Amino acid sequence: MIAKKSGRKAAHAAQGNTLLVAFQGALEGLRRELGLSRRAFAERLGIPRSSYFHLMTDAANPSLDYIELIAERAGVEPIAFLGNVAARRTTQNRASQGLRPVS
């Protein structure tokens, strides 16, 4: 029997969950900016405190719909949670192909 390899999962693991880390960092940054405790921030977002704490773990895997919901309730655009990673990846990809960064 030949073992199947999941290229997507391997690539995701190799990237170190950069989208998840970016999402978590942006969410925590927004919470700190607002001066709220994690409990108060979860209440403001309308999610259980346990769900907020789960979002901050490595096991979190929020759907795009959930990210949109959180962004809407937080009063920010969803791309604010992921934008820096997308821009950095585009620049890295262009550089690895010998192209100049987009201005």
Side-chain angles (χ1 to χ4, degrees):
M1 178 178 222
I2 299 173
K4 287 186 178 181
K5 289 185 180 181
S6 174
R8 184 170 182 259
K9 285 185 182 179
H12 181 69
Q15 293 170 0
N17 298 328
T18 54
L19 287 174
L20 177 61
V21 171
F23 172 72
Q24 291 168 333
L27 196 58
E28 273 292 287
L30 180 59
R31 179 190 68 79
R32 282 190 223 108
E33 184 180 307
L34 295 172
L36 297 173
S37 68
R38 289 182 177 106
R39 179 184 297 244
F41 192 51
E43 288 175 8
R44 180 175 178 159
L45 297 175
I47 62 174
R49 183 176 56 94
S50 60
S51 294
Y52 183 81
F53 281 95
H54 177 73
L55 282 173
M56 295 299 122
T57 68
D58 288 340
N61 189 16
S63 68
L64 293 175
D65 288 339
Y66 196 65
I67 291 172
E68 281 186 317
L69 176 70
I70 295 294
E72 180 181 312
R73 290 178 177 179
V76 299
E77 291 294 321
I79 196 67
F81 290 129
L82 307 173
N84 290 336
V85 172
R88 186 171 54 244
R89 281 191 180 168
T90 299
T91 300
Q92 289 171 345
N93 288 343
R94 291 184 62 80
S96 70
Q97 296 171 2
L99 302 172
R100 292 192 306 192
V102 178
S103 304

